[in-house]
Amino acid sequence: MISADGTAIAYQRFGGDGPPLILITAALCDRTAVSELAEQLAPAFPAIAYDRRGRGDSGDLGAWTVRREIEDLAALIDGAGGSAAIYGHSSGAALALHAAAAGLPITKLILHEPPFTPTHDGEDQRERQAAEERAGEEQAETIRALLAQDRRAEAIAAFLAPTGMPQQMVEQMSNDPAVQAVAHTLPHDPFDVVSASSRGGATPAEQAATVMIPTLLLCGGDSFPWMIETGAQLAAAMPDAHHQVMPGQPHVAAPQALAPLLTGFLLST
């Protein structure tokens, strides 16, 4: 598909005709990260896995903005027949929320562990959130500096290590050529995609409250507690949303666990 700015967006369609589910990947992923899930969904309905701009076989014209990633989704939806359901994982879920809030013709929305910090009332909470935003900006700046020197493995490690990922896995991913190939997108995804500035200063819950689309908020029972709390907060803020925790699943849930939940939600009336 050709996006509004002329960028070619590569995609793979699993399954036959009909309104599809478009799968949005997280940071450091190309479309192969969701291919197994797409294959499992295809017997029930079509699924589209695509390379976000700058990754895999997709192009990357001009300066990156969240708006351009939304336009990429709009092109895919238009090419798929004019409407589609959307699934996004992690920072891909944040992009999916942006797209829904922007009014794209989305029939149903699945947000799988969007990585927003839970919000609470009170001066202490506002100060803590401000401190977390500053820390995120500093981390992003460190990653930009490493990428400018083409130190991709170090940039990936600078992103992954603070998440609590085991050191062995951080080292494995940091030295994976496929992960290194998309490391240049890290300053944008997740940092820009999940930032307050990308929402015009609104909180994630305030942005979510504008979305009227039927929505499923998914979290893994073995994931980070703050992500589960965030999912519950977003679901409570949305007019038509349900929060569901998948027992025993980590942040990156198994396709075998995801596929039945997605199928049930998308086929329900």
Side-chain angles (χ1 to χ4, degrees):
M1 292 297 169
I2 304 301
S3 193
D5 70 345
T7 296
I9 302 300
Y11 72 95
Q12 185 174 2
R13 186 183 182 104
F14 297 78
D17 297 329
L21 171 68
I22 298 176
L23 306 168
I24 308 177
T25 56
L28 294 174
C29 298
D30 61 18
R31 69 180 187 267
T32 61
V34 292
S35 294
E36 184 179 351
L37 175 60
E39 289 175 350
Q40 294 201 20
L41 294 169
F45 48 80
I48 292 176
Y50 77 102
D51 287 329
R52 293 171 62 180
R53 61 173 52 219
R55 311 183 194 188
D57 296 319
S58 289
D60 191 13
L61 297 178
W64 182 95
T65 64
V66 172
R67 168 53 58 183
R68 284 188 164 142
E69 287 234 42
I70 294 172
E71 290 171 351
D72 299 344
L73 270 173
L76 288 166
I77 292 172
D78 184 63
S83 64
I86 299 290
Y87 163 88
H89 175 236
S90 197
S91 50
L95 177 59
L97 183 58
H98 278 302
L104 266 60
I106 297 170
T107 54
K108 288 190 175 182
L109 183 65
I110 302 110
L111 305 178
H112 181 192
E113 297 210 358
F116 301 124
T117 302
T119 57
H120 301 282
D121 295 331
E123 188 66 30
D124 290 345
Q125 172 63 18
R126 288 192 291 270
E127 292 176 359
R128 187 173 68 177
Q129 285 183 283
E132 289 173 348
E133 288 178 9
R134 288 193 297 271
E137 290 168 2
E138 291 171 1
Q139 185 186 15
E141 191 55 41
T142 296
I143 290 171
R144 289 188 185 96
L146 290 168
L147 291 173
Q149 301 172 54
D150 201 30
R151 295 160 63 183
R152 292 193 172 217
E154 292 173 69
I156 295 166
F159 167 60
L160 294 176
T163 67
M165 180 180 288
Q167 182 60 31
Q168 183 178 359
M169 190 174 295
V170 170
E171 292 177 1
Q172 180 181 348
M173 290 189 65
S174 298
N175 291 287
D176 185 331
V179 178
Q180 290 187 6
V182 297
H184 61 282
T185 63
L186 267 177
H188 307 310
D189 180 37
F191 296 100
D192 290 340
V193 170
V194 303
S195 67
S197 61
S198 71
R199 300 186 299 273
T203 67
E206 287 169 344
Q207 183 188 41
T210 69
V211 174
M212 307 298 170
I213 301 164
T215 301
L216 176 63
L217 269 296
L218 282 178
C219 296
D222 287 352
S223 188
F224 305 102
W226 61 269
M227 281 195 162
I228 298 174
E229 184 179 0
T230 292
Q233 286 187 352
L234 293 180
M238 301 179 80
D240 188 3
H242 172 66
H243 181 227
Q244 185 162 350
V245 177
M246 298 175 286
Q249 292 300 314
H251 178 61
V252 181
Q256 295 85 351
L258 281 170
L261 295 177
L262 270 58
T263 299
F265 174 66
L266 294 171
L267 296 181
S268 65
T269 56

